[in-house]
Amino acid sequence: MWGSNARAAHPIFFHHVLKGIHNGARMYCVDPRRSETAQWADVWLGIDVGTDIALANGMARVIIEQGLANRDFIERATSDFQTYQASVEEWTLDRTSEETGVPAELIEEMAINYAKAPTAQICWTLGITEHHNGTDNVLALINLALLTGHVGRYGSGLVPIRGQNNVQGGGDMGALPNKLPGFQDVENSEHLAKFEKAYGVGLNPKRGWHLTQMFEAMEAGKLRALYVIGENPAQSEADVAVTRRALAELDFLVVQDMFLTKTAEMADVVFPAAADWCESDGTVTSSERRVQLVRKALDPPGEARTDTDILHLMAQRLGFDWGTPAPEEIWDECRSLSPPHAGMSYARLEALEGIQWPCYDESHPGEQFLHSRLWSDDVGRRAPFTPVVHVLPADELSRDYPYRLTTGRHLDSYNTGVQSGGYSSPRRPVGALELSPDDATELGVENGDSVRVSSRRGSIEVPAHITNGLRPGLMFMPVHFPDDVDVNVLTIDAWDPKSGTADFKATAVRVEKT
């Protein structure tokens, strides 16, 4: 578990992890905090925020030096190993320990046990990706899997645990600026021509802006109208004061949502959407790529419409009559264009209780796990090693901002609290600044005291909560209570140039008792 507090953020998934632990699996937890997940681990590696690449590179050096690299797999299924090997040579155990804050003996132990394990998985979430170099963090983990052959076979692999319901399905369906459904590239002329023929219109052959670029375009006056579906950027984006200013200066803002979010309150037009998970038919895709049917249980209330109904009505007003196709017809169009979904008819999805893509035709059972070709006689395209360089967080610590603030989730709450904040819970903590006993003593702070937390972007006042799960110098705040504790006033909008993801996990702050 690397940068993942799955016990709190993915509790259903974590029940399966616990079954594995009770059956003898060994779990290492790499996390700056001694989180709820870390408390179940055999070994907790309390890494300094933003040093994941250093740790991965140091592990790789141990594995190579100890002769534990899977040479047969490397030679037959990968490329660029020699360059990668040279890139990790400088990461001795001493240097890795000094950079990461993790004891050298634990780094060595985890590296050796990961390499020797008959099966092993690396699971990660936003603690890896929400950095200004999040993509490189992921590549560092992929390198470890390729180095040991822990990929492409049952029980071993790389597991990004998705952060929201159906986020996997959103990406699969083309909710990415450079992809069409089925991960087909917008800038590939053959792919584009297929969709143009099916849709009967010409399509833009250039990739679009990702989320961060869209907000930069708003600030520059290049993006003047925005259509937001099921998202609450007025509370969820980093350096949120800048985000709200950009939204307020738009010429036109449309929000389609089942809740009147803070973003919806700023909109010129709000389309009340149905709760599609229970008020419409359709499909949902889990983190393991399993496409499952969703069946309507209730009618939408009032004037609420399903998302597809709203989009069809929008198309009609724009001069394109799509009629009123049933969800199954929409799905059939999708699978006629997306090869990984081609064999997933509604009848098969229902009969099999879900199918994992890729599923290329109606005789295909779906792939239980990906990349098995790497172990076959016909490897095809080799999996490349990608050397990555350790860099420090963009928001540097200083005398004025000496503490590192990271953010995350609590068990009972969800994202910006729009859904979970509407009911009371005996398990819900208040929004607070969590800090270590040592830092509390240094600051003269006791539990419940009000403190002012300031970054280079803004300040907020919050109650303090002292916890033994944090080391000195590290502080934590949840993301769920923006109405009371608006943590994204503090976070930095530095973003990963490869993914567009902002750096929510590594803010430099100072703290003063009020």
Side-chain angles (χ1 to χ4, degrees):
M1 288 290 171
W2 198 316
S4 173
N5 184 13
R7 177 68 185 91
H10 301 86
I12 305 303
F13 165 82
F14 198 72
H15 282 304
H16 295 282
V17 174
L18 288 177
K19 288 180 184 178
I21 291 172
H22 294 322
N23 286 333
R26 185 169 176 81
M27 184 172 79
Y28 289 81
C29 184
V30 180
D31 198 308
R33 302 165 60 220
R34 190 174 184 273
S35 66
E36 297 93 328
T37 302
Q39 292 168 29
W40 284 95
D42 293 272
V43 178
W44 168 52
L45 291 83
I47 191 173
D48 288 344
V49 174
T51 61
D52 303 278
I53 289 173
L55 179 58
N57 285 351
M59 285 179 61
R61 189 183 190 277
V62 170
I63 291 167
I64 295 168
E65 192 175 55
Q66 299 262 355
L68 297 174
N70 192 325
R71 294 286 179 170
D72 289 342
F73 177 79
I74 290 168
E75 290 173 10
R76 66 193 301 281
T78 72
S79 61
D80 304 322
F81 172 69
Q82 298 300 329
T83 304
Y84 173 66
Q85 181 177 5
S87 75
V88 301
E89 184 61 31
E90 63 184 294
W91 287 98
T92 63
L93 276 173
D94 287 343
R95 184 188 175 194
T96 305
S97 179
E98 181 180 357
E99 193 68 40
T100 63
V102 177
E105 61 270 19
L106 295 185
I107 299 170
E108 185 175 41
E109 177 191 330
M110 183 167 73
I112 291 171
N113 285 344
Y114 173 69
K116 285 185 172 181
T119 57
Q121 299 179 10
I122 302 177
C123 304
W124 71 89
T125 50
L126 303 181
I128 281 290
T129 56
E130 286 187 340
H131 292 270
H132 73 106
N133 58 342
T135 302
D136 284 352
N137 285 343
V138 173
L139 290 170
L141 304 186
I142 292 171
N143 288 334
L144 289 177
L146 295 178
L147 184 63
T148 55
H150 284 313
V151 64
R153 54 194 180 88
Y154 183 82
S156 283
L158 294 147
V159 186
I161 313 167
R162 300 307 196 180
Q164 289 86 31
N165 180 45
N166 202 34
V167 71
Q168 180 69 53
D172 297 350
M173 294 299 102
L176 297 166
N178 62 329
K179 297 295 182 182
L180 297 156
F183 299 101
Q184 297 170 91
D185 200 317
V186 165
E187 295 181 347
N188 180 300
S189 58
E190 290 184 13
H191 294 167
L192 197 68
K194 179 173 66 172
F195 282 85
E196 289 179 330
K197 181 178 179 181
Y199 295 160
V201 294
L203 299 174
N204 191 332
K206 298 296 182 183
R207 66 178 61 198
W209 290 318
H210 57 58
L211 183 63
T212 309
Q213 290 170 327
M214 291 167 76
F215 278 100
E216 289 186 348
M218 290 181 220
E219 290 184 78
K222 296 178 181 178
L223 179 58
R224 304 305 311 154
L226 190 67
Y227 192 162
V228 179
I229 303 178
E231 186 74 18
N232 186 24
Q235 292 186 312
S236 64
E237 290 303 296
D239 197 359
V240 76
V242 174
T243 299
R244 291 171 187 157
R245 184 170 65 246
L247 291 171
E249 292 176 354
L250 288 168
D251 295 335
F252 192 58
L253 174 61
V254 181
V255 172
Q256 181 171 318
D257 209 301
M258 57 185 288
F259 293 96
L260 190 66
T261 63
K262 291 297 181 183
T263 308
E265 290 177 2
M266 301 177 70
D268 298 285
V269 174
V270 177
F271 292 143
D276 277 358
W277 64 272
C278 65
E279 293 173 352
S280 73
D281 290 340
T283 62
V284 65
T285 308
S286 72
S287 288
E288 62 170 355
R289 300 168 287 104
R290 185 177 301 279
V291 180
Q292 300 170 84
L293 284 182
V294 175
R295 292 303 196 186
K296 179 179 177 179
L298 300 167
D299 289 325
E303 294 184 85
R305 303 284 189 95
T306 68
D307 289 318
T308 52
D309 284 346
I310 294 169
L311 293 173
H312 289 154
L313 288 168
M314 276 287 294
Q316 190 176 70
R317 297 298 178 94
L318 290 167
F320 296 90
D321 188 359
W322 295 349
T324 54
E328 185 173 2
E329 294 177 83
I330 299 170
W331 178 248
D332 283 343
E333 177 188 274
C334 173
R335 67 192 187 96
S336 75
L337 295 166
S338 171
H341 299 90
M344 298 184 181
S345 65
Y346 262 36
R348 292 194 76 214
L349 289 173
E350 187 163 36
L352 298 176
E353 297 184 343
I355 302 172
Q356 288 168 276
W357 64 256
C359 174
Y360 297 110
D361 57 56
E362 298 214 15
S363 65
H364 195 286
E367 295 286 350
Q368 187 177 20
F369 53 92
L370 291 178
H371 311 305
S372 58
R373 66 175 178 81
L374 296 175
W375 296 91
S376 69
D377 292 334
D378 183 17
V379 171
R381 186 172 66 89
R382 289 171 171 261
F385 282 94
T386 308
V388 285
V389 177
H390 164 62
V391 291
L392 292 171
D395 207 10
E396 296 180 1
L397 299 178
S398 67
R399 186 170 62 179
D400 291 333
Y401 300 98
Y403 299 104
R404 181 64 73 194
L405 174 69
T406 194
T407 64
R409 296 173 174 171
H410 285 314
L411 175 62
D412 93 309
S413 297
Y414 185 72
N415 287 3
T416 57
V418 174
Q419 297 180 57
S420 54
Y423 64 91
S424 60
S425 167
R427 294 190 59 86
R428 179 172 299 138
V430 297
L433 175 74
E434 299 181 17
L435 71 166
S436 72
D438 288 350
D439 289 336
T441 299
E442 180 180 295
L443 293 164
V445 169
E446 297 182 359
N447 261 331
D449 284 351
S450 178
V451 296
R452 179 178 293 105
V453 186
S454 303
S455 74
R456 293 177 174 91
R457 289 152 297 283
S459 298
I460 58 174
E461 291 191 12
V462 298
H465 176 68
I466 302 169
T467 174
N468 290 320
L470 294 167
R471 293 173 297 136
L474 177 66
M475 300 182 179
F476 173 85
M477 288 181 66
V479 299
H480 311 301
F481 314 108
D483 290 337
D484 303 316
V485 180
D486 202 354
V487 65
N488 282 327
V489 167
L490 306 173
T491 51
I492 186 171
D493 64 353
W495 50 275
D496 179 1
K498 297 176 182 176
S499 70
T501 302
D503 195 345
F504 290 93
K505 300 300 186 187
T507 302
V509 299
R510 67 170 175 265
V511 178
E512 303 156 293
K513 184 177 178 181
T514 59

